[in-house]
Amino acid sequence: MDTKLLEMLVCPVTKGPLRFDRERQELVSRSARLAYPVRDGMPILLEHEARTLSDEEIESLAPTPRAP
């Protein structure tokens, strides 16, 4: 995923930052506890398409660094 695009995208629910999970091809919103799919390189930022993250997944995520 293009890093410049990722910097512009926010979670549609919380308006918070997203983190790209390359292995699962998902954009993860820690604050919303949701993972949005990326299909054919296109992020699907629809709440009803997102998967809910488990407590274990949330705990394994480090806080998303903020831009200066």
Side-chain angles (χ1 to χ4, degrees):
M1 168 139 308
D2 180 38
T3 55
K4 292 203 183 282
L5 174 63
L6 186 56
E7 289 173 8
M8 291 187 284
L9 295 176
V10 296
C11 173
V13 175
T14 65
K15 308 301 184 245
L18 294 167
R19 176 174 297 189
F20 182 55
D21 181 338
R22 199 174 311 276
E23 184 178 312
R24 289 188 159 196
Q25 291 294 298
E26 294 177 325
L27 289 171
V28 177
S29 171
R30 189 173 202 263
S31 57
R33 301 177 64 99
L34 295 172
Y36 300 93
V38 176
R39 297 184 188 128
D40 298 322
M42 295 294 296
I44 311 299
L45 297 176
L46 300 171
E47 188 176 359
H48 70 274
E49 291 280 336
R51 156 180 95 73
T52 303
L53 297 171
S54 68
D55 290 339
E56 292 80 24
E57 289 175 301
I58 293 294
E59 290 173 14
S60 72
L61 294 172
T64 304
R66 292 283 180 186

